[in-house]
Amino acid sequence: MRVTVDMTVCESHGQCVFAAPDVFAFDDEDRLIYEPAPPAALARHVRTGALMCPARAVTIAEDGA
Amino acid sequence: MRRVVIVGASLAGLRTAQALRAEGFRGTLTLVGDEPHLPYDRPPLSKRHLTGAARPEDADLPIPPDLDATWLLGTPAKALDPVGRTVRLADGRELDYDGLVIATGAAARTHPADHVPDGVLTLRGRDDAAALRTRLRTGRRIVVVGGGYLGSEIAGAARGRGLDVTLVVSTAQPLARLVADEVGAYVAELHRAAGIALVTRRTALGFTGNPALTGVVLSDGDTVDADLAVLALGAEPNTGWLAGSGVPVAGGVACDPCLRVLHESGAPLPNVVAAGDIARWPHPLADGAPIALGHWSNAAEQAAAAARTLLHHDDARPFTVVPSFWSDLHGSTLRAVGLPAHSDERRVVRYDVFGRRLEVTYHRAGRLVGAVTVGGPGRIGAYRRILTDELLRAA
């Protein structure tokens, strides 16, 4: 799974951080940082994070897709 | 379960359909909507849409191509028979179901005045937003009535477009009922700094002008001149179609902790769940008191939980997600988590209007029940984590 966040669209709602805190986080300056290739075990949380983004900034590409 | 009918074709309805498919439901899926539109997002309607930064079609919600659902749009549901398991539509059609999702949302509360001239609007749906946006182009003086987020957002957007704006709220501060006076005072300062005339502790009694609006009459007898007024008086759950069904509907559709819809006998109806603005369910952060939330994230999260309950009836889990919400005001984003309205004490951690930073925590009987911030999205995430951990420990 590959994760991309369009930072021109992100509004820092933090819903992805709520859903998948091991993949998404805010750094000390409140910028969103994330793991672009999260382990498969976290895939469900990452998908929830993408679905819960009100700005629709999170895109997921499944492996092999 | 072969046939699922979802009454309500907005965010909660769509997301329930998606979750049912994700959980492996392979039967027929029918979504019923009273509006002619496919699902769209509502938050932008009072934000980017009014400022002109977004077009109406930008709000369309993506529908997965493999959803395999039938959409019956522009045909509101008129009656529910939970014994015969049918939903009757306004056009006379009857839909049989094995599973039912009630997600009909809420409608803008209207004003009781006998005379409501042209130029008095409400904002709830996409067509309302289009009408308001058009009026904002030509309007000069607008009165916004309402002490909730919607009133403050509309006032801010109208001011941003250069109109003379008066915001009328019944409390001592805007948003006071939702996030208390501390945050209300902060928002009031933002409004005043932007040049909005704030009228507190008053309501709108009526309107002058015929056929076109010329003024709004306030409860103190004063009239504020206006060629445009928006009433943001809150929302009423769309429960009219449930009359006679035996489902209690006061303040929303009464649900058990797993979002199963309750019959008036107190027992959950077989295979009927609710999600979104219309659902009223007991929340542990409110000590088990029933709450209903008209928030985007609530609709999206509840949909997934309702779908799960419908498919796994005997293994249903309580829906205890910590609520979260945001509002755009004068270029700042106010973020809330938990249930600030259910607090008896507030602690102001940070209050900096000039630097656009705010942090207030909400407590009941000494226990943290919510937080509000402006700026610093990392902080609100931390508060939500604390609240989530607290609920997990209590469960």
Side-chain angles (χ1 to χ4, degrees), chain B:
Chain B
M1 191 170 295
R2 293 186 301 113
R3 298 161 302 180
V4 171
V5 171
I6 300 175
V7 185
S10 192
L11 177 66
L14 171 62
R15 290 294 167 87
T16 308
Q18 285 178 255
L20 286 167
R21 290 299 190 214
E23 294 263 350
F25 175 66
R26 293 282 165 264
T28 64
L29 205 47
T30 307
L31 288 105
V32 177
D34 60 343
E35 291 181 70
H37 310 294
L38 282 164
Y40 57 86
D41 263 334
R42 290 180 199 279
L45 299 182
S46 55
K47 301 179 175 75
R48 281 193 304 267
H49 185 81
L50 291 188
T51 60
R55 299 159 302 160
E57 55 270 31
D58 293 336
D60 286 343
L61 281 164
I63 297 171
D66 55 354
L67 188 65
D68 190 19
T70 303
W71 298 87
L72 303 178
L73 301 175
T75 55
K78 279 292 164 198
L80 166 66
D81 173 4
V83 179
R85 297 193 179 185
T86 59
V87 173
R88 186 161 50 78
L89 305 188
D91 61 11
R93 260 183 293 189
E94 298 225 339
L95 305 176
D96 297 326
Y97 66 81
D98 305 308
L100 176 70
V101 181
I102 296 178
T104 39
R109 196 168 283 149
T110 53
H111 198 277
D114 293 330
H115 173 65
V116 179
D118 183 43
V120 180
L121 311 183
T122 56
L123 175 56
R124 179 77 197 172
R126 187 167 171 160
D127 298 341
D128 301 332
L132 177 55
R133 186 154 120 154
T134 303
R135 295 271 190 167
L136 286 177
R137 286 201 197 100
T138 53
R140 289 180 301 109
R141 297 178 57 87
I142 182 174
V143 174
V144 182
V145 185
Y149 293 111
L150 191 63
S152 277
E153 286 188 344
I154 295 167
R159 187 67 197 129
R161 298 191 65 144
L163 278 75
D164 281 338
V165 181
T166 303
L167 175 62
V168 180
V169 304
S170 63
T171 42
Q173 305 284 359
L175 310 183
R177 280 209 192 89
L178 304 159
V179 286
D181 281 345
E182 292 83 354
V183 174
Y186 180 95
V187 171
E189 285 199 61
L190 290 188
H191 282 331
R192 291 196 175 102
I196 292 171
L198 188 58
V199 175
T200 60
R201 297 191 182 89
R202 270 156 287 186
T203 58
L205 280 191
F207 311 96
T208 59
N210 190 3
L213 177 75
T214 57
V216 176
V217 184
L218 303 183
S219 48
D220 61 7
D222 282 358
T223 298
V224 183
D225 292 339
D227 50 27
L228 179 59
V230 181
L231 306 176
L233 305 171
E236 296 278 2
N238 288 323
T239 56
W241 66 286
L242 295 169
S245 67
V247 172
V249 294
V253 167
C255 300
D256 79 356
C258 306
L259 303 172
R260 286 182 281 234
V261 171
L262 299 174
H263 185 255
E264 59 198 1
S265 66
L269 282 167
N271 300 343
V272 183
V273 294
D277 298 10
I278 201 166
R280 193 164 175 271
W281 86 109
H283 199 288
L285 267 186
D287 291 328
I291 61 167
L293 295 173
H295 299 165
W296 188 95
S297 54
N298 180 60
E301 284 160 342
Q302 241 174 12
R308 204 187 167 281
T309 293
L310 197 58
L311 293 182
H312 309 284
H313 201 262
D314 299 328
D315 181 32
R317 292 184 221 139
F319 176 67
T320 59
V321 172
V322 173
S324 60
F325 177 78
W326 84 98
S327 180
D328 291 345
L329 297 167
H330 304 294
S332 293
T333 301
L334 181 148
R335 296 183 174 85
V337 293
L339 296 176
H342 291 249
S343 63
D344 56 24
E345 184 203 347
R346 266 76 59 190
R347 298 177 195 161
V348 178
V349 180
R350 193 163 179 186
Y351 188 106
D352 175 5
V353 174
F354 185 73
R356 292 287 197 270
R357 300 288 290 226
L358 176 70
E359 191 170 325
V360 178
T361 59
Y362 296 76
H363 311 261
R364 192 178 60 253
R367 166 194 178 204
L368 183 76
V369 293
V372 167
T373 66
V374 173
R379 297 290 296 165
I380 204 75
Y383 282 121
R384 195 180 198 239
R385 213 150 40 239
I386 294 168
L387 289 167
T388 302
D389 291 347
E390 199 184 300
L391 289 185
L392 285 175
R393 265 201 311 278

Side-chain angles (χ1 to χ4, degrees), chain A residues 11-13 15 18 26 30 51-54 56, chain B residues 15 41 48 59-60 296 324 326 335 376 378 384:
Chain A
E11 296 172 349
S12 299
H13 289 295
Q15 292 288 345
F18 298 160
F26 289 109
D30 281 327
L51 206 55
M52 284 307 300
C53 175
R56 296 177 220 154
Chain B
R15 290 294 167 87
D41 263 334
R48 281 193 304 267
D60 286 343
W296 188 95
S324 60
W326 84 98
R335 296 183 174 85
R384 195 180 198 239

Side-chain angles (χ1 to χ4, degrees), chain A residues 32-52:
Chain A
L32 185 73
I33 49 175
Y34 62 99
E35 167 55 52
L42 298 174
R44 197 169 57 85
H45 299 294
V46 175
R47 279 188 211 105
T48 302
L51 206 55
M52 284 307 300

